[in-house]
Amino acid sequence: GDSVTQMEGPVTLSEEAFLTINCTYTATGYPSLFWYVQYPGEGLQLLLKATKADDKGSNKGFEATYRKETTSFHLEKGSVQVSDSAVYFCALSEGHSGGYQKVTFGIGTKLQVIP
Amino acid sequence: NAGVTQTPKFRVLKTGQSMTLLCAQDMNHEYMYWYRQDPGMGLRLIHYSVGEGTTAKGEVPDGYNVSRLKKQNFLLGLESAAPSQTSVYFCASSSQGTVPHEQYFGPGTRLTVT
């Protein structure tokens, strides 16, 4: 079945440092890929997405490129802020026989940014 | 728009008690989902619904029941709570009309079973 692999963390960075959170996936077809972010005490919200190979998703200074050859979708940001402290989930979705797109989530990576 | 709302936000149950978690969405979404979030395990799908009056089992359905009598509401029931059901529960919804389906999440319900 489908799976998503990411490190749990926590990842601790100083403000303005470069961020990379690795995500690799296994899927039977051609999935769409997502990064969701969960701020403390809140639900998940979509950060960015990519629907086909070589697509780059971007939002709020974060970027991730859909790499089919390495089955990866690594999240990057050039300069993190304290406000970026959150849990980041990599996810993929594929069509499902139940008539919806099944989403498979990674375990989430906790990011702590210190001033 | 309120988006996806969940009630209650927190609840403590004793083993064997029952409760219902309510999820409501005002985006006219066809699909709704219940997940549980546990440390080191990410989000796991409990049950889902592709439309009013229909429900289906997800990855971890045992011990839970659901109902979707109205399109905007999706209820999750625990008939006899167990400590293993201590978790944070998230409801989500998505639209049939957008591909890929972006899921919109509620703020979560933190449930403790003692």
Side-chain angles (χ1 to χ4, degrees), chain A residues 8 32 34 36 38 41-46 49-51 87 89 93 96 98-103 105-108, chain B residues 31 33 35 37-43 45 48 50 57 59 88 90 96 98-108:
Chain A
E8 189 170 7
S32 296
F34 307 83
Y36 281 84
Q38 183 182 29
E42 299 182 8
L44 281 70
Q45 55 186 275
L46 181 67
K49 65 184 177 186
T51 59
V87 180
F89 291 87
S93 74
H96 186 269
Y100 76 104
Q101 291 200 327
K102 179 178 183 292
V103 180
F105 290 89
I107 62 172
Chain B
Y31 303 141
Y33 317 84
Y35 293 92
Q37 182 182 30
D38 301 291
M41 304 191 77
L43 274 75
L45 183 65
Y48 65 95
V50 299
K57 294 180 180 180
E59 184 183 352
V88 181
F90 287 100
Q96 182 181 22
T98 59
V99 178
H101 296 180
E102 173 186 348
Q103 295 196 1
Y104 293 80
F105 285 81

Side-chain angles (χ1 to χ4, degrees), chain B residues 10-21 36 38 62-64 76-89 109-114:
Chain B
F10 303 94
R11 186 73 186 267
V12 178
L13 289 179
K14 294 187 188 317
T15 298
Q17 288 184 320
S18 63
M19 78 164 294
T20 300
L21 282 67
R36 59 178 291 171
D38 301 291
D62 293 344
Y64 305 95
L76 178 70
L78 287 72
E79 291 186 347
S80 179
S84 61
Q85 293 177 307
T86 293
S87 186
V88 181
Y89 293 85
T109 295
R110 185 173 294 274
L111 174 66
T112 301
V113 183
T114 62

Side-chain angles (χ1 to χ4, degrees), chain A residues 10-107:
Chain A
V11 174
T12 302
L13 295 174
S14 298
E15 207 165 20
E16 299 184 1
F18 185 86
L19 168 70
T20 300
I21 300 177
N22 289 341
C23 171
T24 57
Y25 68 89
T26 302
T28 52
Y30 298 94
S32 296
L33 301 175
F34 307 83
W35 277 100
Y36 281 84
V37 59
Q38 183 182 29
Y39 297 104
E42 299 182 8
L44 281 70
Q45 55 186 275
L46 181 67
L47 180 60
L48 53 84
K49 65 184 177 186
T51 59
K52 61 182 186 296
D54 300 325
D55 266 2
K56 178 185 283 188
S58 61
N59 186 23
K60 298 182 181 179
F62 291 89
E63 293 183 341
T65 301
Y66 191 144
R67 300 289 187 198
K68 191 169 184 297
E69 64 276 14
T70 54
T71 61
S72 65
F73 193 53
H74 303 324
L75 182 68
E76 296 182 335
K77 187 175 185 184
S79 176
V80 293
Q81 305 299 314
V82 172
S83 57
D84 293 326
S85 297
V87 180
Y88 293 82
F89 291 87
C90 186
L92 66 84
S93 74
E94 285 195 291
H96 186 269
S97 60
Y100 76 104
Q101 291 200 327
K102 179 178 183 292
V103 180
T104 300
F105 290 89
I107 62 172

